[in-house]
Amino acid sequence: MRSRVGPRHARRPVPTLLRGIYLPRSMDAGAFAMTTYGIPLLVLATTNSAALTGLAFALEWVPRLAAFAVAGAVVDRHGTTRVLRVASAMRAAVVVAAAVALPQLEAGLPTTVTVMLLAALTGVLTEFSYIAAETAGGVGSRQAGERAHRVQSVLLGIDQVGTLAGPATAGLLLERAGAAGMLATIAVLSLLACALAPRQHVGQTDVPEPVLSGLRTGWTTLRSLPALGWLVCGLTVSNLAIGLLQAAAPVIVVQQFGHSSADVGLIWSVAAGASLITVAACRRAIDRFGLWPVGALSATVAACACLAVSLSHTYTAYLVLIAVLMAGEGGMTVVLRTLRSHLIPQQVFGATLSLTILLLLLPFPLAGVLVATVPTALLGHVITACAVLQALGLCAAFLRLRALPGLRARLA
């Protein structure tokens, strides 16, 4: 007779990386991308209002920024499994409720209120699920030991594939299957992420650092690293132009160019593909030429493409220029991550990383407000102004980086 040793849960097989990490991350990444790009398209389709589309973009990002500040502490306190399951299940419930309610509502205020609430609620829940999935990936990387870099490579690939496929899928579903089809797909992906949530039982030995204390630590560290501070400032200014183009894309493509919602999604999918290629090329280019030349070239490409976008009058030109712009942004992102890993001390890396991400995301809700308040006919002028501001900000940042003492060997 075989004796039983240990409790039943101790004899459960340890889930593989595919089942425990990669599959739930894939489902959440798909829902994340479709929510981010699909909800503003839904708002434009149901309200036919450029102002409300911009406002919906802002309503997606403002709660995300607020959630970002507390999601990490919630995950530390309650664990990745519980937070990912609850956030994914609630997101599925919210989009299903919207899918059921929208056909029953009259056009006008009831429909507008519903889609705006949908934008705000999905923004919060998506950020919580993303932080939980990101934390689970970090735990999986640490458990992988010497194979940690392989785990992170796969996770980055999953996120990039989600960004590549999500916008086009959301636009195509909205065009062919309507709001119900797109929202149902988001719900299915959310439920799969909930069901496949990794079973991680990692105890938190230390009391999580208060949010404000962590932000103060990150700010102090960032001020002590002028190279990183200048680069973050330049990219924050650049993100205002990027956010404006994202928020205005449904209005420009659908109302000004006369194309469909699927064509809006196609733009960002092509842009994600261009960014993927650039990231792969920049890794080798940095090894050969150094950080500063690659970063300066990427900034020049991004600034020139953004200036040209405001002058484009055809869908094809708009698509190509957005792809070139995001390729330049991809190169600068590689430079930022590399410089960040070199300069930030390990003991304050988490707090400083959180602050830099928060600063880089702040322009996105502002971009939504601009689209909501500026008349459609003047959007081109606003894009041009933001493009000029982007060029000036990036020029100042990289000139300052080049002039900082002690960084020539690292940036040359």
Side-chain angles (χ1 to χ4, degrees):
M1 183 175 180
R2 183 177 298 176
S3 60
R4 296 184 177 182
V5 180
R8 176 176 295 180
H9 66 80
R11 301 193 305 277
R12 291 176 180 171
V14 178
T16 63
L17 284 172
L18 175 63
R19 166 61 182 85
I21 302 294
Y22 300 153
L23 281 179
R25 179 62 167 261
S26 299
M27 299 302 105
D28 186 69
F32 182 100
M34 289 188 65
T35 300
T36 301
Y37 293 94
I39 299 301
L41 285 173
L42 174 62
V43 173
L44 182 63
T46 54
T47 65
N48 199 32
S49 169
L52 292 177
T53 303
L55 183 59
F57 188 85
L59 284 176
E60 273 193 318
W61 280 102
V62 170
R64 284 185 180 187
L65 293 179
F68 178 82
V70 300
V74 172
V75 171
D76 287 341
R77 182 177 298 274
H78 298 288
T80 58
T81 303
R82 181 180 298 180
V83 174
L84 182 57
R85 283 178 174 171
V86 171
S88 299
M90 290 182 66
R91 180 173 58 202
V94 167
V95 296
V96 167
V100 172
L102 282 174
Q104 312 299 326
L105 297 175
E106 297 180 359
L109 183 61
T111 298
T112 301
V113 171
T114 300
V115 292
M116 290 301 176
L117 285 176
L118 178 65
L121 291 175
T122 53
V124 172
L125 296 172
T126 296
E127 194 61 39
F128 272 90
S129 69
Y130 171 76
I131 295 296
E134 182 74 11
T135 304
V139 173
S141 296
R142 289 192 293 272
Q143 293 175 346
E146 295 181 354
R147 296 185 297 114
H149 66 286
R150 298 182 183 179
V151 175
Q152 284 298 321
S153 297
V154 175
L155 293 176
L156 180 60
I158 289 172
D159 289 342
Q160 290 173 333
V161 170
T163 304
L164 184 66
T169 303
L172 186 62
L173 285 171
L174 186 60
E175 180 185 0
R176 300 294 176 84
M182 187 191 75
L183 294 175
T185 304
I186 296 175
V188 169
L189 292 173
S190 299
L191 290 175
L192 287 173
C194 175
L196 298 171
R199 297 182 178 90
Q200 293 179 343
H201 304 283
V202 182
Q204 183 71 26
T205 56
D206 300 325
V207 177
E209 186 179 20
V211 173
L212 292 180
S213 177
L215 293 178
R216 282 195 298 267
T217 300
W219 178 250
T220 301
T221 305
L222 190 61
R223 290 183 60 186
S224 68
L225 301 171
L228 183 62
W230 275 100
L231 185 57
V232 169
C233 286
L235 290 178
T236 300
V237 174
S238 178
N239 278 350
L240 177 60
I242 301 297
L244 182 62
L245 288 173
Q246 287 188 9
V251 179
I252 293 174
V253 174
V254 175
Q255 293 189 346
Q256 294 187 5
F257 293 157
H259 281 250
S260 66
S261 58
D263 292 325
V264 180
L266 179 62
I267 287 178
W268 297 112
S269 294
V270 172
S275 182
L276 276 172
I277 295 172
T278 304
V279 167
C282 281
R283 292 170 183 170
R284 295 185 178 181
I286 289 173
D287 291 336
R288 182 172 182 179
F289 301 106
L291 275 173
W292 194 89
V294 173
L297 177 61
S298 298
T300 302
V301 170
C304 292
C306 193
L307 285 168
V309 163
S310 61
L311 304 176
S312 62
H313 299 290
T314 65
Y315 173 80
T316 302
Y318 192 81
L319 182 150
V320 171
L321 290 171
I322 290 290
V324 173
L325 168 62
M326 296 311 295
E329 282 289 314
M332 288 191 291
T333 301
V334 174
V335 173
L336 171 65
R337 291 192 176 193
T338 305
L339 190 63
R340 194 166 56 191
S341 64
H342 282 317
L343 295 182
I344 301 177
Q346 183 177 358
Q347 61 271 24
V348 292
F349 188 87
T352 310
L353 176 64
S354 297
L355 179 67
T356 58
I357 295 175
L358 189 60
L359 291 174
L360 292 172
L361 295 181
L362 281 176
F364 285 91
L366 177 59
V369 172
L370 285 175
V371 174
T373 55
V374 173
T376 303
L378 298 179
L379 272 179
H381 299 293
V382 177
I383 293 174
T384 302
C386 288
V388 172
L389 186 63
Q390 177 198 41
L392 294 174
L394 291 176
C395 180
F398 278 93
L399 287 178
R400 192 70 179 93
L401 281 174
R402 188 64 171 171
L404 285 174
L407 288 176
R408 290 184 180 274
R410 190 170 287 164
L411 294 172

